[in-house]
Amino acid sequence: MKLAIASFYLALSASSAFAFSTAPAFVVGPAASAAASTTSLPMSTAEASSTDVAESDGAPKSKKEGRLRMMKNPQFFRKGFKEVRGDVESVMDGEYKSQLVDEMKGNEFKIERDGVTVYLAKDFGFCWGVERSIALAYEAVKHYPDRTVHITNELIHNPEVNDKLQAMNVQFIEKLGEGRKDFDTVGDGDVVILPAFGASYEEMDHFDKKNVDVVDTTCPWVSKVWNTVDMHQKKGLTSVIHGKYAHEETVATVSFCEDYIVVKDMKEAQMVTDYITKGGDREAFLEYFKNAVSEGFDPDTMLKKVGLANQTTMYKKETRAIGQMLQKGMMEKYGPKDVGQHYMEFDTICDATQERQDAVHELVENKSELDLDFILVVGGWDSSNTAHLLEIPHKAGVRSFHINRADCIGADNTITHRTVDGEIVTEPFILDMDKDVVMGVTSGASTPDAAVQDSLSQIFILKKVHKGSEGSD
């Protein structure tokens, strides 16, 4: 982990133009309510549109330009604090690494123990962006031992990591509902951490005007998406975002858009494509997408030229299929010759997300050869990238479970897990305790290796206890 953290700082310096030359996104959805008050900031892009930004004296011409200006503030930090880096690396190694996982990686991603054979996905767990974000947050806490440190959201979607930050006395800013947050607790001279998902333009602008130090842990892949929607805006395109409109990352992304619509899946993308090619009931369309479009969205004029971007944690194959659908729709509407004037697409899918999806596909494709009983997916229940890992075995008909903590596996041989529909259920786990278990395991990009080890240890104990009880009989 020390090498990985050190490498990210070198990469950050070498590629800062790519990773950070973007404007952050703030808040969210047109549905957000809102009048700002002294206690809270509304999350509505309408209240701080790019046009508004350009109108005031000395203001930047775009939100991207505005963020670049904020990043030059001497109280804005995005490269961490070298004097505490060594201590942070040691702490992270102790808290998040796993001897068991390292053993599997050194043994062709396999281990046999206590009647359980485990096949580990070839790509899994912490991605570079998540590891970087945690390191920056930890460094901030150590660098400011006598200051109050706040964070605008969960750092990442992993309960153990966020619990550790709370134990370090990091103050999580309260959400007030309807897209608003309570910033009254942030005092003069305090420190504010921006999470891996990023923060909206409006939030960043708010803190830029206060006497606070801001530590930006935004993942560079998220910044890449912001660059893309900024390009859409400059070319007069409506941004079609493949994502979940309430997800923190998408909330941030749309704050950089002028005109946008968020589609969750192929069904919603088909609705948009059908409207492009055939028109339809405008009011019904707007009612359906009321929480997922920019203020004043007009499908009759704003779907004539579109650009595709995505929430970085979405399912890559689905994003590509949506792109093909939109492109085909534009060809049908305007002809192959002019399709380039009406549709634009850039690859904004995170490499780490795709690599982990591919690794699970490999497990699923080799299910029969490996004789897998099930696949275990470890990661936060609100983690989008982890949820998409579960979809792969589920769609292939492979028994699979998504757990967020090791204690989801009960001593009574039950498992509490999140289904692909988002329901939390408890059911019998190992169906034949007398038989050796053969399983696959993977983890989301925000899941530490230690969480995988703890989960597997629970399974080893289950089998060992059962074998011991048989012997006593």
Side-chain angles (χ1 to χ4, degrees):
M1 185 173 290
K2 291 183 180 181
L3 177 61
I5 295 175
S7 299
F8 107 69
Y9 288 105
L10 292 174
L12 181 61
S13 299
S15 63
S16 59
F18 150 70
F20 294 96
S21 61
T22 77
F26 180 174
V27 243
V28 192
S33 87
S37 70
T38 56
T39 348
S40 63
L41 279 182
M43 300 200 216
S44 169
T45 57
E47 295 182 27
S49 69
S50 295
T51 302
D52 293 335
V53 169
E55 285 177 352
S56 49
D57 293 339
K61 295 178 181 179
S62 70
K63 290 182 180 178
K64 177 178 178 178
E65 185 179 315
R67 182 174 190 248
L68 291 174
R69 183 194 65 185
M70 293 178 205
M71 288 163 54
K72 295 177 181 178
N73 187 324
Q75 289 183 281
F76 190 97
F77 302 90
R78 60 186 177 89
K79 293 186 178 180
F81 306 95
K82 291 182 179 179
E83 80 279 3
V84 297
R85 189 157 302 151
D87 290 342
V88 166
E89 289 172 349
S90 297
V91 170
M92 289 180 64
D93 281 348
E95 291 183 345
Y96 298 128
K97 288 194 72 174
S98 160
Q99 183 177 347
L100 176 66
V101 170
D102 287 345
E103 184 179 341
M104 283 192 284
K105 287 161 64 177
N107 188 43
E108 298 184 336
F109 295 84
K110 177 183 176 182
I111 195 169
E112 297 180 27
R113 182 170 296 179
D114 297 319
V116 182
T117 300
V118 182
Y119 291 94
L120 176 66
K122 300 290 176 60
D123 283 289
F124 63 95
F126 273 174
C127 65
W128 173 80
V130 162
E131 195 167 323
R132 168 188 175 276
S133 182
I134 297 171
L136 287 172
Y138 274 41
E139 286 181 17
V141 172
K142 282 191 170 291
H143 180 74
Y144 297 103
D146 301 319
R147 307 263 289 274
T148 301
V149 180
H150 307 264
I151 189 166
T152 61
N153 219 316
E154 291 184 336
L155 182 70
I156 60 174
H157 281 156
N158 181 269
E160 291 155 323
V161 172
N162 291 309
D163 286 351
K164 289 182 186 299
L165 287 174
Q166 287 183 321
M168 295 162 69
N169 206 30
V170 174
Q171 305 299 305
F172 285 65
I173 291 173
E174 181 185 1
K175 295 180 181 179
L176 300 176
E178 296 185 322
R180 296 174 301 127
K181 296 177 184 177
D182 181 2
F183 292 120
D184 269 2
T185 56
V186 180
D188 190 67
D190 285 354
V191 179
V192 177
I193 297 173
L194 308 182
F197 315 109
S200 72
Y201 184 89
E202 292 82 350
E203 283 187 358
M204 294 184 68
D205 184 57
H206 172 78
F207 292 121
D208 184 62
K209 295 171 181 174
K210 292 176 66 72
N211 177 32
V212 297
D213 282 4
V214 174
V215 179
D216 182 13
T217 81
T218 304
C219 174
W221 275 98
V222 174
S223 300
K224 183 180 178 182
V225 178
W226 296 346
N227 280 334
T228 296
V229 298
D230 178 73
M231 191 174 301
H232 292 168
Q233 177 182 315
K234 289 176 179 176
K235 292 182 178 294
L237 305 172
T238 294
S239 294
V240 177
I241 311 295
H242 176 211
K244 301 171 183 176
Y245 68 81
H247 189 280
E248 295 92 335
E249 181 189 324
T250 298
V251 163
T253 295
V254 300
S255 79
F256 285 100
C257 300
E258 282 288 340
D259 305 317
Y260 70 85
I261 182 168
V262 180
V263 296
K264 180 178 63 176
D265 50 27
M266 290 291 289
K267 172 193 166 186
E268 294 187 351
Q270 186 66 62
M271 292 173 66
V272 172
T273 304
D274 287 346
Y275 202 97
I276 290 171
T277 57
K278 306 170 187 175
D281 186 331
R282 182 178 183 276
E283 297 308 315
F285 184 90
L286 289 173
E287 175 61 25
Y288 182 90
F289 286 104
K290 63 184 178 182
N291 295 318
V293 293
S294 49
E295 184 172 335
F297 189 85
D298 182 357
D300 294 325
T301 60
M302 295 178 181
L303 292 178
K304 292 182 178 181
K305 297 174 66 176
V306 303
L308 180 65
N310 71 297
Q311 183 181 310
T312 59
T313 56
M314 298 302 283
Y315 191 38
K316 180 174 183 177
K317 290 185 178 179
E318 187 172 50
T319 297
R320 287 186 168 165
I322 288 171
Q324 291 171 356
M325 181 187 295
L326 289 169
Q327 185 177 44
K328 183 178 179 181
M330 288 302 186
M331 290 176 66
E332 180 182 333
K333 180 73 173 179
Y334 299 103
K337 181 180 177 181
D338 295 327
V339 68
Q341 302 298 315
H342 296 272
Y343 179 73
M344 181 179 293
E345 178 180 333
F346 298 93
D347 185 1
T348 58
I349 298 170
C350 170
D351 284 346
T353 297
Q354 181 57 36
E355 289 162 359
R356 281 147 187 74
Q357 292 171 2
D358 289 344
V360 176
H361 273 293
E362 184 179 355
L363 281 178
V364 169
E365 289 164 2
N366 291 288
K367 173 190 179 293
S368 298
E369 181 181 338
L370 300 176
D371 196 27
L372 296 181
D373 295 312
F374 59 85
I375 292 176
L376 185 70
V377 180
V378 185
W381 280 337
D382 52 356
S383 166
S384 179
N385 81 85
T386 309
H388 288 303
L389 295 179
L390 178 70
E391 292 173 2
I392 297 169
H394 174 78
K395 289 178 179 178
V398 178
R399 192 168 184 244
S400 47
F401 306 97
H402 173 189
I403 64 172
N404 69 339
R405 296 177 184 268
D407 58 16
C408 287
I409 299 170
D412 58 351
N413 190 26
T414 60
I415 185 165
T416 300
H417 63 104
R418 181 188 183 277
T419 70
V420 291
D421 298 319
E423 185 181 2
I424 308 301
V425 300
T426 301
E427 63 180 90
F429 182 30
I430 299 174
L431 300 181
D432 186 352
M433 290 292 285
D434 296 325
K435 171 183 172 294
D436 284 352
V437 173
V438 183
M439 61 174 285
V441 65
T442 189
S443 55
S446 52
T447 307
D449 290 354
V452 175
Q453 174 172 313
D454 292 344
S455 300
L456 292 178
S457 295
Q458 290 285 91
I459 298 172
F460 297 153
I461 291 170
L462 270 180
K463 284 291 291 179
K464 191 172 184 178
V465 169
H466 177 74
K467 186 175 181 180
S469 66
E470 278 190 322
S472 63
D473 291 344

